[in-house]
Amino acid sequence: MATSVSHTPLWCLLQQRATNTPSIKELFKSEPQRFNHFSASACGILLDYSKQRLDTTAKLNLLALARQQKVEARRDAMFAGEAINHTENRAVLHTVLRLPKGEAFHHQGENIAASVHAVLQQMRTFSDAVREGRWLGFSGKPIRTIVNIGIGGSDLGPQMACIALAPWSQKNLLLHFVSNVDGRHLTDALKNAEPETTLFVVASKTFSTMETLTNAQTAREWMLAHGCPSEQIRQHFVALSTNVEAASKFGIAPDNVFPFWNWAGGRYSVWSAIGLSIALYVGADKFEEMLAGAHEMDLHFQQAPLEQNLPVLMALLGVWNINFLGLQALSIAPYHQRMARLPAYLQQLEMESNGKSVTREGQRVDYATSPILFGEAGTNGQHAYFQLLHQGATIIPTDFIVVADDDVGLPGHNQALLANCFAQSKAMALGKDITQVRAELPGVSEALLPHRVFEGNRPSSTVLLDVLSPKSLGALIALYEHKVFVQSVIWDINAFDQWGVELGKSLAQQLISLKPEAVKEDYDSSTKGLLRALKRDK
Ligand code: F6P
């Protein structure tokens, strides 16, 4: 059995360092040029981590920890297509989805890069036809409304990207994302839709997800009930799936199925056919620019020395905060309205990947793993949960994500946005002590002073994008993907399975009738009580 990372001398050294690490304020005082040593950039992204509570010794030890845990070898194994998702015996090759055209990648005897580009071409042909009004609905009219039906990775990625890339969207196309099995989600999306001009994109890697199949079935019935002849339903439904057979069985014409492969995990699938809604909304060229941005980050991750390697640095900062400073949560604050869905996207990426409590060998870990991640676009978050970030008894590190050059031309707005972002991280890092408060508020009663004090010493990183473009968005997402992977290597866990979602799924199947006869005697009294309280027996 491998030695647990937490029992290695380096881990103990880092624990000691954490107890002796000066405050962020002291770190800035002792290193006036701190920004120069605690920042790095690549692919149009600057990472400023000088406001983390981290000194050079801790940083060097963290880099040594990465080497001890063989981050480079594990990374190379992932890129090479080894079955690193060992609980499902699968390779993890979302990076192949963004290889440039013409590059080959052989996996299990097949050039899968060529298959990837064949599907990209299929996506281009279809999205061009829809966007140019050549793909017609049952009454001969072009498509005007697109409804992406999918959940988790089959929803969050394309949705987040479409919102971020809205400036490139085609104005006469309306796009909805329906994920929830709650019928209100689909009902609201269809409220103003015209069946004859509506296209449903059924996105499901497995084509077995209850929410998606229920929504897709209802959408189909809605089309038929609104006059679509069954033989024309093919004009209104396409599927994105690894399970081409199940999609065809559902009634989607084989030509309308855009395939992908098991080596692309659900939460890593935005680069695959799952990105079709992006291509429909902003065009295939922009979608491919996003892939190119991610590929650039892949190369950086593979080639840059660990000291300058953005995903590695971000991963180590997280490990430092979670495992050594004991800061278990992470707030994501994108100071850009169009990145408002990024926190939701990262929630799945980080928490579904690294929300694990056994090592790759199945031993219970004795250290924390994934951060508890949440967030909101700035400046909205400031007026909601930032109070706790500034003065709460729990310290929560923040990733501020901000774009240097994205002025929409409304005087004053962008300036105010950026100033707020930088002010927040400064306030969190340095705070305001009682002497400053006293000086600022002469005559204020001593009893009120503690309420006005900001302890500071609350770590944050700032991720500054040159611009928000399809390319930089691709690089940003890939940055977080690789960060999550590096953390999984350090924690010795499998980031690519998600067995934790299975139990709830199967219990829901057992309870689906909600009828009194579904109440089994051996159920717990809470479940019995809730089922009976529904009064379905009337
Ligand atoms: O939540 C579990 C999960 O399997 C995710 O990993 C996935 O993104 C989501 O369900 C949707 O799955 P599918 O694309 O197969 O419908």
Side-chain angles (χ1 to χ4, degrees):
M1 200 170 60
T3 313
S4 164
V5 62
S6 62
H7 295 162
T8 61
L10 253 179
W11 191 272
C12 301
L13 215 61
L14 280 157
Q15 279 174 324
Q16 283 161 18
R17 192 66 219 148
T19 51
N20 297 324
T21 297
S23 70
I24 302 173
K25 197 179 204 166
E26 286 161 344
L27 288 169
F28 271 106
K29 217 179 264 169
S30 62
E31 294 174 279
Q33 300 307 317
R34 190 170 158 76
F35 175 85
N36 297 340
H37 307 296
F38 291 83
S39 63
S41 56
C43 312
I45 297 177
L46 166 77
L47 170 69
D48 169 19
Y49 58 103
S50 59
K51 293 192 188 100
Q52 293 285 345
R53 192 176 160 211
L54 174 86
D55 64 5
T56 304
T57 312
K59 178 171 147 178
L60 292 176
N61 285 335
L62 285 165
L63 288 162
L65 184 71
R67 293 198 166 94
Q68 170 188 286
Q69 296 303 101
K70 303 198 170 38
V71 163
E72 287 148 304
R74 304 289 306 167
R75 172 197 64 195
D76 296 346
M78 176 176 80
F79 277 92
E82 284 180 30
I84 63 166
N85 176 1
H86 66 300
T87 60
E88 296 179 298
N89 193 26
R90 283 182 191 163
V92 173
L93 284 172
H94 47 278
T95 49
V96 172
L97 296 167
R98 49 226 194 189
L99 279 181
K101 197 170 182 176
E103 279 194 31
F105 189 96
H106 293 275
H107 178 61
Q108 297 176 339
E110 190 198 333
N111 179 4
I112 57 170
S115 313
V116 164
H117 279 277
V119 176
L120 279 172
Q121 184 53 50
Q122 186 192 357
M123 291 164 73
R124 177 178 286 275
T125 306
F126 179 71
S127 56
D128 284 354
V130 171
R131 289 164 62 81
E132 290 163 15
R134 289 183 281 112
W135 184 275
L136 307 177
F138 69 87
S139 64
K141 290 187 187 164
I143 298 301
R144 288 290 166 255
T145 301
I146 297 163
V147 184
N148 188 96
I149 296 180
I151 196 163
S154 302
D155 165 69
L156 292 164
Q159 186 190 158
M160 174 272 296
C162 286
I163 296 172
L165 304 180
W168 289 275
S169 66
Q170 182 156 311
K171 302 296 170 248
N172 61 1
L173 281 180
L174 252 179
L175 176 62
H176 298 282
F177 285 87
V178 173
S179 51
N180 203 331
V181 75
D182 181 339
R184 282 160 274 248
H185 206 176
L186 185 63
T187 304
D188 290 352
L190 297 184
K191 197 169 165 204
N192 296 316
E194 287 178 9
E196 44 190 339
T197 58
T198 297
L199 173 74
F200 293 95
V201 176
V202 186
S204 177
K205 178 177 171 183
T206 54
F207 223 84
S208 67
T209 304
M210 184 233 255
E211 292 91 330
T212 301
L213 295 190
T214 306
N215 279 321
Q217 189 57 42
T218 307
R220 193 186 151 84
E221 282 155 18
W222 179 81
M223 285 299 302
L224 295 172
H226 285 83
C228 177
S230 57
E231 65 282 6
Q232 300 237 33
I233 208 96
R234 56 177 297 134
Q235 294 305 108
H236 296 268
F237 278 84
V238 297
L240 325 173
S241 189
T242 57
N243 192 346
V244 177
E245 203 187 322
S248 307
K249 257 194 201 142
F250 176 86
I252 293 176
D255 287 354
N256 292 358
V257 182
F258 296 75
F260 63 110
W261 306 270
N262 267 338
W263 42 257
R267 53 194 171 277
Y268 300 86
S269 63
V270 66
W271 322 101
S272 71
I274 292 292
L276 183 68
S277 289
I278 308 173
L280 285 163
Y281 196 50
V282 300
D285 284 347
K286 296 294 159 203
F287 178 61
E288 289 186 13
E289 280 172 36
M290 200 178 123
L291 301 183
H295 178 64
E296 211 178 286
M297 184 56 75
D298 293 340
L299 294 179
H300 166 76
F301 179 44
Q302 285 176 285
Q303 293 165 3
L306 299 193
E307 291 71 10
Q308 298 298 322
N309 197 306
L310 297 191
V312 173
L313 289 170
M314 280 181 77
L316 294 177
L317 294 168
V319 168
W320 174 247
N321 285 333
I322 293 168
N323 300 114
F324 300 105
L325 297 182
L327 312 177
Q328 179 66 60
L330 176 64
S331 124
I332 300 287
Y335 273 67
H336 196 292
Q337 188 56 33
R338 295 207 176 100
M339 284 197 267
R341 286 299 282 168
L342 188 64
Y345 174 78
L346 293 181
Q347 235 165 19
Q348 187 198 19
L349 179 62
E350 299 235 12
M351 293 165 79
E352 194 167 83
S353 295
N354 284 342
K356 311 285 164 65
S357 53
V358 295
T359 65
R360 292 177 59 83
E361 285 187 12
Q363 304 299 315
R364 185 79 167 77
V365 298
D366 60 0
Y367 43 85
T369 55
S370 169
I372 302 155
L373 190 145
F374 65 99
E376 182 60 68
T379 58
N380 293 352
Q382 288 173 213
H383 300 272
Y385 68 91
F386 273 38
Q387 163 64 37
L388 186 151
L389 300 189
H390 286 292
Q391 287 189 316
T394 305
I395 296 184
I396 299 181
T398 299
D399 280 2
F400 289 95
I401 301 166
V402 62
V403 181
D405 182 16
D406 196 10
D407 199 336
V408 284
L410 301 178
H413 286 256
N414 209 42
Q415 236 170 307
L417 183 72
L418 297 187
N420 267 282
C421 178
F422 298 161
Q424 292 299 320
S425 64
K426 186 172 164 62
M428 284 177 195
L430 306 178
K432 196 193 310 181
D433 63 26
I434 200 152
T435 324
Q436 286 170 283
V437 178
R438 221 180 253 123
E440 276 176 17
L441 301 169
V444 79
S445 91
E446 283 295 307
L448 283 180
L449 288 178
H451 298 275
R452 310 293 285 258
V453 166
F454 291 73
E455 283 172 0
N457 212 19
R458 285 151 199 258
S460 71
S461 294
T462 301
V463 178
L464 180 68
L465 273 61
D466 289 346
V467 290
L468 179 59
S469 62
K471 197 167 176 206
S472 69
L473 183 72
L476 179 71
I477 302 167
L479 166 60
Y480 274 94
E481 284 179 348
H482 294 321
K483 169 213 151 172
V484 166
F485 168 67
V486 172
Q487 290 186 330
S488 76
V489 173
I490 292 181
W491 291 323
D492 190 24
I493 57 180
N494 181 359
F496 301 106
D497 58 13
Q498 57 283 318
W499 299 107
V501 298
E502 296 302 325
L503 178 60
K505 277 192 202 172
S506 64
L507 289 179
Q509 288 299 347
Q510 284 177 31
L511 295 171
I512 196 75
S513 81
L514 297 178
K515 292 261 163 57
E517 53 270 25
V519 182
K520 300 223 171 70
E521 261 328 295
D522 62 347
Y523 278 2
D524 58 277
S525 74
S526 167
T527 307
K528 280 186 201 162
L530 290 168
L531 282 171
R532 287 189 179 122
L534 290 178
K535 300 193 176 64
R536 288 284 167 128
D537 44 342
K538 276 186 194 158

